[in-house]
Amino acid sequence: MKISVLTVCRNSARTIKHTIDSFFAQDHADKELVVVDGGSSDETLTIVRSYSQDRIQLISEPDSGMYDALNKGLRLYTGDAVGVLNSDDCFHDNTALRLISSGLNQADIVHGALDFVEDHVTKRVVRRWRAVPRPVKGFRTGWMPSHPTFYVKRKVAETVGMFDVSLKVSSDYDWMLRAVEGYGFSVATIDQVLVDMMIGGASTRSFLSHVGHNLEALRSRRRWLGSGPIDYALVAKPTRKIGQFLVGRHKP
């Protein structure tokens, strides 16, 4: 199974080498990296072009933000399955794509565990996201997979379509909700860490970003699930994350 990994970036010279190194370190051979650059003015493109290009598709042009860039990636990838690795994130170890491929032999969608790290040198974990199988009511209960570990077969991506660019910080949540709740695709859980995510992304960098993400997520549930102006998940979704910050209570 050929797995395509979408990485969007703009002026990511400080971190993207770690990201690409982790891709090339994967022991799953049938893979491609699609890098969608938003017109970087730093050394990002020099770094990307320093790698063997037979496994990399690269496009560099202005875009309207991360989700517009991801949509370009969805139009470009050639694999049997696809997922996203942000330009400041890394695969946890060299088995991640192999585990994902194995999971996708059993289901249409897979997701797994995630560590939030301070940086990719010390790898100091500041928060842990452990994958939980989808409960009966799914997203209505506040459950959601971690998007950096969320990989789908091509038929899923083609059915779900593009990311909603009208959403500023939660279009990934909206896309996953549509994939899981809207079409009846099967979902498998990988009970291992797949990705190290550097803390400080668009939806995690501040209290206000958390609030914005949750309000946009409610908008998605209202649109696709028929939720009311306030629903159970509005409280349950952030509450579910409290345990992720109790790092010392989890085994590495």
Side-chain angles (χ1 to χ4, degrees), residues 3 12 39 44 107 118 155 195 198 216 221 228 230 237 247:
I3 301 179
S12 301
T44 298
E118 234 177 38
K155 67 178 181 180
V195 172
M198 202 156 81
E216 282 195 350
R221 293 192 300 276
I230 297 176
K237 181 173 172 289
V247 174

Side-chain angles (χ1 to χ4, degrees), residues 45-103:
L45 291 174
T46 300
I47 294 169
V48 175
R49 288 169 176 149
S50 71
Y51 291 84
S52 172
Q53 299 296 293
D54 61 342
R55 294 288 176 87
I56 296 179
Q57 284 198 68
L58 171 63
I59 178 174
S60 180
E61 62 185 24
D63 56 51
S64 300
M66 177 175 66
Y67 299 123
D68 179 39
L70 284 174
N71 285 340
K72 293 179 183 181
L74 286 177
R75 297 183 187 102
L76 286 171
Y77 83 94
T78 63
D80 305 300
V82 65
V84 176
L85 185 66
N86 296 318
S87 62
D88 54 357
D89 299 341
C90 296
F91 288 117
H92 182 70
D93 59 30
N94 66 352
T95 68
L97 288 185
R98 172 158 48 90
L99 293 170
I100 289 166
S101 177
S102 178

Side-chain angles (χ1 to χ4, degrees), residues 132-154:
V132 177
R134 178 185 179 272
V136 173
K137 293 187 177 181
F139 280 73
R140 292 176 175 86
T141 69
W143 173 86
M144 64 175 287
S146 61
H147 188 242
T149 71
F150 192 82
Y151 280 72
V152 305
K153 289 180 177 176
R154 175 175 281 275

